Amino acid sequence: MEYVKAFLVGGIICVLVQILMDNTKLQPGRIMVILVMSGVILGALGIYAKIEKFGGCGATVPLSGFGFNLWKGMKEAIDQHGFLGLFEGGFTAASVGTSAALIFSYIASLIFQPKMKK
Amino acid sequence: MRKEPSKQEYNQMVEEMTPKHNCFLNCIKAFVTGGAFCLLGEFMKQMMMKYWGLGKKDSLMFVTIELVLLSVLLTGFNLYGKITKFGGAGGLVPITGFANSVASPAIEYQKEGQVFGIGVKIFTIAGPVILYGIFSSFVIGIIYLLAKQWGWM
Amino acid sequence: MKVIKGKQSIEFEKPPYLLSWASVVAQKEGEGPLGDFFDQVIDDPFFGEKTWEMAEGRFMKQAAMLAIQKAGLTKNEIRYAFAGDLLEQNTATSYGLKDLELPMFGLFGACSTAGESLSLASITVAGGFAEHVLAAASSHIGSAEKQFRFPLEYGNQRPLSATWTVTGSGGFIVSKKKSPIKIRGITTGKIVDYGMKDPMNMGACMAPAAAQVIYQHFEDYSMAPKDYDAIYTGDLGEVGKDILIRLLNENGYDISKVHGDCGLEIYENETQDTHSGGSGCACSAVVLASMLTRKLINGEWKRILFVPTGALMSKTSFNEGESVTGIAHAVLLEKEET
């Protein structure tokens, strides 16, 4: 059942973004920014936690989940360290995804060569 | 020319004459592709909780790392582009799309050197995501902090 | 005979000739419908170089050398070169042609460069300033995507109005010496801005410029579409073609029977998945240097108007919210009766 829910929730998020893309001329970069920010905002409003509870990875795998994660990290840091947490929370929460992407990509740049578009 | 459309008229004319992707079909493709990535993530999560005995939080982090690695590899072999071409938002929205946006400039700009090539360009597409993610959570964090101190929460 | 014609045109008193032409393309173009007509198809997209930019330069060098060779000349006999590409600071042209050691004018006309270089080369020859002049233009999908859009490995969905940058280069020798194709005249286009902002719909950005220059050409020469065997625009693609025909129709010229677009000739849009067609400086250049010249030579056509179209924009202007302006240059080619 969890699998079906994850598929469903992840799929629906993608469909919403697809509709946004098809009806505006937004470039992928902007779309990703919008997604992350909506994750942060929905996270702060407590809505995204509900989506995650229902959809599991269907909610955490999309980039909006990355934003949600950012907010969770921020909230935790503020709860623990107050004002200092404002500067601590974001990167702590984003660290795994960002580091993984940077580290693997750097290694990939050493291994792979640019290829022709087919 | 004797008769020229105004900018507005022209924009409208172009709008009418430009073909568009079939939105409904696109949505189905996006649904399937995006859903599949999430399903894969869920599968990884369940497996790690079951066999590695990890907690939910840790296994979620592992899912992120694994999906990012998968996407970087697919990018290196020039396959991720095909997934997004088919799936549209389904390839863009998952964390794999983010990883693709980091790996592709890294590979493409290696020719321009370690620092100004890879080092700078690796953030071309992903940089804004990190910036606005951090900044928006900072802004909302301030609101949250103030709300807490004034005892609203 | 008056040389200056109408508002934007020249009709040469002693027309220069297209002495030779050469087209060098990459694999995908070679697999397209015009595959057999190109002089050379290079399978290695890097053409033995290390980067896309240098590869593009190599394509141009190859096209230039081939054109010189086909004209039966040596590079020392070339008085001037007019050439350009799509990249910032004309990278491909500067590095590609430096070894040829020719007196050089570097041009930027975006995808209209083939028309711009032919125009200037013709003026130079007709004015008696040179015997033989090289005109060349190149583009490469690797360098173009990298500069204007995304890294090649990045996944995104291209809209149906998007075009595919042609990899290759076309070179021409414009000369005083007689040949079967003469350049009767040119019409130089103006920068036209209809406020289009979508860089994924280049056809629509450039169609007004093409319409303007073709319209003015008819007016200046007092000719009509029926006087031409063909009118070929550069890279308007499916979308731009329809818009161009409509714009000219509204001005009393129906070109639908003679109009063709180089971007629609070079690929099989359906099977090669190129959406709206080919584009780039090389698109019009290699189609002229293959199919169009061929049809003039074998007598199928007697008079054609060659109108490469360009979108004058940069990444900076786009990010700063400016619209994409267009330009087009018309070159009137005729078969020389012998």
Side-chain angles (χ1 to χ4, degrees):
Chain A
M1 196 57 208
E2 277 116 354
Y3 295 119
V4 179
K5 281 183 186 166
F7 190 89
L8 211 64
V9 171
I12 288 172
I13 295 176
C14 293
V15 168
L16 291 176
V17 174
Q18 186 72 43
I19 293 172
L20 184 70
M21 277 166 69
D22 282 351
N23 288 298
T24 60
K25 291 193 174 92
L26 289 172
Q27 298 271 329
R30 288 177 203 267
I31 295 279
M32 294 207 295
V33 169
I34 291 171
L35 260 174
V36 170
M37 287 176 68
S38 34
V40 171
I41 294 167
L42 289 176
L45 295 174
I47 298 170
Y48 212 87
K50 287 185 188 132
I51 304 177
E52 197 226 336
K53 204 173 164 209
F54 177 80
C57 278
T60 53
V61 169
L63 261 186
S64 46
F66 185 71
F68 170 58
N69 224 351
L70 271 176
W71 167 251
K72 271 201 305 191
M74 183 63 85
K75 185 167 178 282
E76 247 168 60
I78 293 172
D79 286 341
Q80 279 172 16
H81 299 123
F83 180 74
L84 201 58
L86 282 173
F87 296 89
E88 191 195 344
F91 269 108
T92 316
S95 61
V96 174
T98 315
S99 305
L102 287 176
I103 293 166
F104 293 142
S105 296
Y106 181 73
I107 297 172
S109 79
L110 301 178
I111 301 170
F112 296 104
Q113 292 290 315
K115 284 185 194 66
M116 191 72 169
K117 210 169 166 134
K118 282 274 155 53
Chain B
M1 286 188 286
R2 266 176 304 169
K3 190 169 167 284
E4 285 189 49
S6 71
K7 284 187 180 178
Q8 246 176 356
E9 281 164 2
Y10 187 67
N11 261 298
Q12 212 168 8
M13 177 175 154
V14 170
E15 193 65 34
E16 276 167 36
M17 294 178 77
T18 305
K20 288 196 179 63
H21 281 295
N22 182 333
C23 187
F24 182 71
L25 191 69
N26 264 359
C27 287
I28 291 180
K29 286 180 184 169
F31 184 80
V32 174
T33 314
F37 275 118
C38 296
L39 182 70
L40 181 66
E42 185 68 33
F43 175 74
M44 288 168 168
K45 184 176 99 182
Q46 299 288 349
M47 288 300 117
M48 269 174 303
M49 283 163 71
K50 201 164 162 191
Y51 294 108
W52 290 10
L54 291 174
K56 191 183 141 217
K57 205 177 162 192
D58 284 0
S59 54
L60 275 178
M61 285 198 238
F62 268 106
V63 169
T64 303
I65 296 173
E66 287 158 2
L67 284 177
V68 166
L69 178 63
L70 174 73
S71 166
V72 171
L73 284 173
L74 288 173
T75 306
F77 288 109
N78 215 2
L79 294 172
Y80 201 84
K82 292 199 177 78
I83 296 175
T84 315
K85 188 177 162 31
F86 171 82
L92 193 71
V93 169
I95 191 86
T96 45
F98 174 71
N100 173 239
S101 78
V102 180
S104 55
I107 295 172
E108 189 67 49
Y109 284 94
Q110 50 164 278
K111 300 284 166 69
E112 292 181 26
Q114 293 288 327
V115 173
F116 294 106
I118 303 171
V120 172
K121 304 287 176 150
I122 200 166
F123 289 107
T124 327
I125 313 170
V129 176
I130 298 171
L131 169 65
Y132 290 104
I134 297 282
F135 189 73
S136 59
S137 60
F138 171 79
V139 170
I140 295 176
I142 291 179
I143 301 173
Y144 175 70
L145 187 69
L146 291 178
K148 242 175 86 156
Q149 277 180 348
W150 291 335
W152 293 348
M153 284 174 105
Chain C
M1 190 177 173
K2 223 175 141 208
V3 180
I4 299 171
K5 219 165 162 67
K7 282 186 183 156
Q8 289 168 236
S9 305
I10 297 176
E11 184 170 21
F12 298 116
E13 204 169 349
K14 285 187 194 137
Y17 293 88
L18 212 50
L19 187 58
S20 73
W21 46 87
S23 52
V24 184
V25 295
Q27 198 185 2
K28 190 178 179 104
E29 291 70 29
E31 287 164 359
L34 303 182
D36 296 337
F37 300 159
F38 297 124
D39 291 299
Q40 276 190 356
V41 178
I42 309 293
D43 286 337
D44 171 18
F46 279 104
F47 208 148
E49 303 286 335
K50 285 203 177 67
T51 63
W52 298 128
E53 291 74 18
M54 294 305 120
E56 183 179 336
R58 187 69 187 80
F59 271 99
M60 184 184 271
K61 184 182 176 190
Q62 188 74 4
M65 291 195 309
L66 261 179
I68 296 171
Q69 193 193 334
K70 281 172 80 178
L73 300 170
T74 62
K75 64 176 192 178
N76 299 330
E77 292 170 272
I78 306 297
R79 185 77 189 183
Y80 291 115
F82 290 91
D85 58 77
L86 273 183
L87 304 181
E88 286 163 327
Q89 284 82 33
N90 268 348
T91 311
T93 307
S94 310
Y95 287 84
L97 293 186
K98 73 174 174 192
D99 294 339
L100 294 184
E101 297 179 314
L102 299 171
M104 171 81 201
F105 293 103
L107 308 179
F108 183 80
C111 309
S112 74
T113 306
E116 189 181 5
S117 60
L118 280 172
S119 298
L120 291 167
S122 308
I123 292 173
T124 311
V125 172
F129 303 108
E131 192 104 353
H132 310 289
V133 174
L134 170 76
S138 71
S139 55
H140 193 303
I141 189 160
S143 53
E145 289 285 314
K146 184 177 152 189
Q147 177 174 325
F148 290 103
R149 304 206 173 95
F150 300 107
L152 272 72
E153 289 79 10
Y154 184 63
N156 76 323
Q157 222 167 23
R158 297 163 61 245
L160 291 178
S161 55
T163 49
W164 191 277
T165 307
V166 172
T167 304
S169 174
F172 306 87
I173 302 295
V174 178
S175 169
K176 250 165 129 171
K177 211 168 135 188
K178 267 203 160 186
S179 93
I181 299 176
K182 78 170 178 206
I183 300 170
R184 179 170 157 192
I186 59 168
T187 305
T188 306
K190 296 181 197 168
I191 298 170
V192 177
D193 183 2
Y194 274 20
M196 289 298 300
K197 288 200 171 162
D198 185 3
M200 288 295 194
N201 194 352
M202 285 296 195
C205 302
M206 302 184 293
Q212 199 280 334
V213 79
I214 295 172
Y215 173 83
Q216 198 57 46
H217 177 84
F218 290 152
E219 297 282 307
D220 290 352
Y221 273 80
S222 313
M223 294 208 281
K226 62 172 171 39
D227 298 321
Y228 299 80
D229 295 309
I231 294 174
Y232 262 83
T233 47
D235 48 4
L236 295 182
E238 309 263 10
V239 181
K241 180 187 164 86
D242 294 344
I243 297 174
L244 170 69
I245 290 176
R246 188 162 150 188
L247 283 173
L248 281 171
N249 243 333
E250 287 173 1
N251 280 285
Y253 291 113
D254 178 15
I255 62 161
S256 57
K257 285 194 187 67
V258 287
H259 179 254
D261 187 69
C262 298
L264 294 176
E265 300 289 347
I266 193 159
Y267 299 120
E268 196 74 61
N269 280 345
E270 289 290 314
T271 54
Q272 291 190 296
D273 193 33
T274 44
H275 293 204
S276 194
S279 65
C281 302
C283 180
S284 53
V286 300
V287 173
L288 174 64
S290 55
M291 181 187 134
L292 304 187
T293 42
R294 198 186 178 91
K295 291 201 173 186
L296 277 168
I297 289 283
N298 68 22
E300 199 173 321
W301 293 339
K302 298 244 166 349
R303 179 187 292 151
I304 68 166
L305 191 64
F306 174 61
V307 194
T309 40
L312 301 174
M313 62 165 308
S314 69
K315 232 180 161 165
T316 313
S317 72
F318 171 70
N319 286 343
E320 289 173 353
E322 299 298 329
S323 53
V324 182
T325 57
I327 194 161
H329 298 293
V331 181
L332 181 58
L333 299 163
E334 285 182 1
K335 181 163 166 70
E336 177 75 354
E337 302 300 337
T338 43

